[in-house]
Amino acid sequence: MGSTVTASDITWQLENFAKAGLGGVHIIPIYGIKGLEKEAISYLSPQWMQMLTHTIREAKRLGLGVDMTTGTGWPFGGPNVTPDMAAKKWQYTNGQLQSVLTKQAVKRAAPGGAGLVLDPFAIDAIPKYVQRFDSAFATIKDLPRAMYNDSYEVYGANWTDDFLNEFKKRRGYDLQSQWTAFTDTTTALVKIDYHQTLSELLAENYAKKWTDWSRQKGFVTRYQAHGSPGNLLDLYALSDIPETESFGSSRFPIKGLRVDDQYEVDRYGTPNPLAMKFASSAAHLTGKKLVSSESTTWLANHFKVSLSQIKPQLDELFTAGINHIFYHGTTYSPKNADYPGWLFYASTNYGINSHFWKHYPLLNQYVERCQTILQNSQPDNDLLVYFPIHDLWATQARASGGIHLLEVHHVDKWLLKLPFGQLSEWLWNNGFAFDFISDNQLQQFKPDASGKYKTLLVPATTYLPQATLARLGELTKMGVKVIFMEHLPKQPTGFHEQKERSESFQKVLQTWTGQSFPSLQGLEILLTSANLRQETWAKEGLKYIRKVQGGKVIYFIANQDQKFSEDWITLSTPAKKIGLYQPLTDKTTLLPMKIEGGKTQVYLKLLSGESCFLMLDTNVGEGLDLDSNVGEVQNLADVHLNAKPVRQRGPVLADVKTATLQGTWKLEFMEGKPYLPKATTLTQLGSWASLSDSASYFSGTARYSLTFDLPKGFSPTQKMTLDLGDVREVADVTLNGQKIGTAWSLPFRLDIPANTLKNKQNRIVIEVTNLSANYMRLRDTQQPEWKKFQEINMVDIQYKPFNAAQWTPMPSGLLGNVTLEAAKN
């Protein structure tokens, strides 16, 4: 914030991040702190570069990475952007097209970073823009790992000074000669040509030149292409690490998952895995190891986000092919700053003052275990889906400047309205593994001998480039099955010489006329009859990604619905043995399996909200390519290793019995703000916020304790599960003096090892940590001056001035019964 930093506080913060299990930091200078204007460090000044060098050296000492934005705030721009370099729009005056400034300035700029936004289409804008960085880094030896380009937020820009010349060179005619056609909402081909030209200029002059400069300087690149008027697949592919974005809550039907009722879906949209797959598809097709995401922005209002809300959003990213998570966001905050410290206006607070900081390492361990496998394996997808961007360009744009900005927030307003989006959504929900491919990528694509991407689906399309149609014909001769959905394309793109090219196009189309053109209703039978792998259990809300590591198949599966809990599932991939790896607990188990109709079936128990890896034909406890040792290995069934596994029939796991823990609970408040309420006893569990006024303002940790006898029918020698029910928000559990574990994600359940419990006089202690929201209700009444940030300062989830004093108390503690669960005898 304002680059108002000190070396000692940078070190303090990095040391805490390392202890929490983070892998690194990303530097984005933004607006500063009211009253500290004189302490702000000007961007890229010698003092600023000195602080950057200190940050990088300290991070290396601690084993952390450092990335930085090539600018302040967003998008690219600043004081060195002169009017000739700045973003422009077209203006039609007196029969002539003119180029005028949009006058957009850098948003949320830091001191030394304010100025006009860069023209993303100009041939020399990036080379001139980065000269400032050339000078700043000229004598710097310790470099960041990566340069970062935030999501495209150049609003109203739809032109550049040399646009007419570039248009004529690329499209073969003068745009001004067809200006009436261009501005007529019923004419498509000129609109497509216009968007095609913008897309090419954006890729060549902005994304590629920035990427080339970064690599020449020794940086890798992280690029958020979304929001731009270009083909996202081509733009993402230009970077070393394509990066998507997850903003808001996906509203999964997971049992017990809460969403903030103040979040406005119509205004901000929700995350969608299909939008995420643009970044991962680009990485998969170009062989990039890492795909990243700006993750979990605005999951709920400030001080209200729980770890249990974060994990499902990360699981969705993993299933969509993302394997390099960046938490959004954490603000630099000095050690001596009063609570709650310096905060960013639009984020989930992952900083040291966060209410979940004590348990944050548990989330990071989970992410690290998942990412280690996902980063060290390759996609195992059968299908390619062609992205017909020209059909989108042919429609009337709703965005400023009259151009299509392909955002990730409201995919319902562009992607899902296209037959392409509807096809992709159907494939996703019906268990087919696929990636998207662009026109340019089709020209480069070559099928390999392994049969990967052996089928290509072309959604119902009106406009198709001639080169793409020709390439589809070439791919069929190479053994790729090309399926046109519903009908053949109607006409080629491009206004110039349209009649001649259309005749040629129609002749080529005749070679496809004998084919069938399925609709979604008949697609499942068509694909399965072509031996394309389908994971039918995806229809039950089990989202997955299938990958290969060392020639062996791996599934990451997340149960993001309530349709499935446990059953036999049929895998599309044959296996002789199957290990279940739980990244939450770092434990691996051999699963019961059988062969039915020549198909491999495995008995999977995965409750709503849970996730796991299935490791096919991997020695359990070995070959998982994990940095940490794989934990306890447990055999649940006789898994047959010979070539013909013995058939097993019926469920293997026994029915369960449950019993509610009965008695009088003691509730003591251990640590927190603003003060500790009095201890009390409870015969029925419920929110402690309803016990008294003092308890309604308490944010911190409270201890529940109970002495109980083992219920009838339960034996100490049994392995049991403790179901904590509705926990607000994190529970650390001890049984008879032995730490059982921490429940921080849905469902709030912990396994109890055999012989932990006794028949009589068992003592359970559950320490629950709640949100900071209840304390902030009081803090905003008594000391609202913590909101001292420049520019936007602090806003709530509806972007209104933040005021927690208006909130009602958030439920806290154990809200329902605590039960024991064990297998029936």
Side-chain angles (χ1 to χ4, degrees), residues 356-581:
F356 56 63
W357 180 259
K358 179 171 66 174
H359 298 103
Y360 189 25
L362 298 175
L363 173 66
N364 290 329
Q365 289 168 11
Y366 172 79
V367 171
E368 182 179 4
R369 291 165 187 159
C370 291
Q371 290 189 164
T372 302
I373 296 175
L374 295 171
Q375 289 176 10
N376 291 286
S377 53
Q378 295 74 47
D380 187 29
N381 297 337
D382 296 323
L383 280 164
L384 287 172
V385 180
Y386 168 68
F387 176 41
I389 194 169
H390 304 88
D391 276 16
L392 178 65
W393 286 341
T395 62
Q396 187 68 20
R398 62 183 182 85
S400 62
I403 57 176
H404 289 278
L405 302 179
L406 278 60
E407 58 175 326
V408 297
H409 300 289
H410 283 287
V411 297
D412 56 310
K413 295 182 179 181
W414 66 274
L415 192 153
L416 298 182
K417 286 187 174 181
L418 296 172
F420 162 79
Q422 295 155 16
L423 169 62
S424 301
E425 190 172 41
W426 183 92
L427 292 169
W428 177 258
N429 291 329
N430 284 274
F432 292 96
F434 61 96
D435 281 316
F436 302 143
I437 191 166
S438 70
D439 295 280
N440 289 339
Q441 290 165 347
L442 269 173
Q443 298 300 325
Q444 305 298 322
F445 171 70
K446 294 181 181 179
D448 57 35
S450 67
K452 181 182 178 182
Y453 299 134
K454 54 191 175 184
T455 300
L456 192 154
L457 296 178
V458 181
T461 304
T462 299
Y463 302 97
L464 191 75
Q466 280 184 295
T468 297
L469 183 63
R471 183 59 179 165
L472 293 176
E474 293 170 358
L475 289 174
T476 59
K477 296 176 182 178
M478 297 181 190
V480 176
K481 185 175 181 61
V482 176
I483 300 174
F484 288 93
M485 297 295 298
E486 297 187 25
H487 58 76
L488 289 171
K490 298 293 196 303
Q491 59 179 303
T493 57
F495 177 81
H496 185 55
E497 297 178 348
Q498 170 65 201
K499 182 179 179 181
E500 295 83 352
R501 290 185 299 101
S502 182
E503 291 174 355
S504 174
F505 188 82
Q506 294 302 325
K507 288 180 181 179
V508 178
L509 279 183
Q510 290 176 9
T511 63
W512 300 88
T513 54
Q515 309 239 352
S516 60
F517 308 111
S519 63
L520 290 182
Q521 288 71 27
L523 188 58
E524 184 169 11
I525 295 175
L526 177 65
L527 295 180
T528 53
S529 63
N531 295 320
L532 286 169
R533 291 175 291 175
Q534 179 186 20
E535 312 298 349
T536 55
W537 34 269
K539 299 177 182 181
E540 301 300 314
L542 298 179
K543 303 306 179 185
Y544 77 96
I545 185 169
R546 187 177 60 229
K547 305 198 75 179
V548 174
Q549 185 183 75
K552 297 176 181 178
V553 172
I554 296 168
Y555 292 86
F556 174 77
I557 305 176
N559 187 351
Q560 303 204 299
D561 210 317
Q562 298 183 47
K563 301 175 185 176
F564 182 91
S565 57
E566 59 179 311
D567 204 347
W568 291 102
I569 65 171
T570 300
L571 301 181
S572 67
T573 306
K576 296 179 181 178
K577 58 180 176 177
I578 300 170
L580 172 81
Y581 176 64

Side-chain angles (χ1 to χ4, degrees), residues 98-113:
Q98 297 178 338
S99 178
V100 297
L101 293 176
T102 66
K103 298 181 181 180
Q104 182 185 354
V106 176
K107 191 176 183 181
R108 320 296 187 216

Side-chain angles (χ1 to χ4, degrees), residues 90-99 164 176 179:
W90 61 261
Q91 181 175 288
Y92 196 69
T93 306
N94 298 324
Q96 291 293 319
L97 272 169
Q98 297 178 338
S99 178
L164 285 176
Q176 287 198 107
W179 192 247

Side-chain angles (χ1 to χ4, degrees), residues 16 31 156 199 228 281 366 388 395 504 557 565 587 690 800 802:
N16 277 282
Y31 54 84
S199 180
S228 78
S281 294
Y366 172 79
T395 62
S504 174
I557 305 176
S565 57
K587 293 182 179 179
S690 63
K800 298 175 182 177
F802 182 88

Side-chain angles (χ1 to χ4, degrees), residues 542-691:
L542 298 179
K543 303 306 179 185
Y544 77 96
I545 185 169
R546 187 177 60 229
K547 305 198 75 179
V548 174
Q549 185 183 75
K552 297 176 181 178
V553 172
I554 296 168
Y555 292 86
F556 174 77
I557 305 176
N559 187 351
Q560 303 204 299
D561 210 317
Q562 298 183 47
K563 301 175 185 176
F564 182 91
S565 57
E566 59 179 311
D567 204 347
W568 291 102
I569 65 171
T570 300
L571 301 181
S572 67
T573 306
K576 296 179 181 178
K577 58 180 176 177
I578 300 170
L580 172 81
Y581 176 64
Q582 297 171 302
L584 197 66
T585 61
D586 196 26
K587 293 182 179 179
T588 304
T589 305
L590 279 176
L591 291 183
M593 58 170 290
K594 63 182 180 179
I595 304 298
E596 286 283 353
K599 297 283 189 179
T600 299
Q601 293 192 347
V602 63
Y603 197 86
L604 179 66
K605 182 176 182 179
L606 198 68
L607 303 183
S608 182
E610 290 185 329
S611 56
C612 70
F613 285 90
L614 296 187
M615 321 293 291
L616 274 57
D617 293 326
T618 298
N619 292 328
V620 175
E622 300 176 10
L624 299 187
D625 201 10
L626 293 171
D627 291 334
S628 59
N629 292 326
V630 176
E632 177 187 352
V633 176
Q634 175 186 1
N635 283 294
L636 287 186
D638 177 18
V639 181
H640 303 275
L641 306 182
N642 57 313
K644 294 183 178 180
V646 176
R647 288 168 58 122
Q648 302 179 25
R649 295 189 179 276
V652 174
L653 299 183
D655 293 334
V656 297
K657 54 188 174 184
T658 61
T660 300
L661 297 188
Q662 304 286 350
T664 299
W665 293 84
K666 184 177 182 180
L667 175 61
E668 305 165 273
F669 294 89
M670 309 305 296
E671 59 178 357
K673 297 180 178 65
Y675 40 74
L676 302 182
K678 293 181 179 180
T680 187
T681 57
L682 304 168
T683 56
Q684 184 174 349
L685 295 172
S687 171
W688 75 52
S690 63
L691 296 177

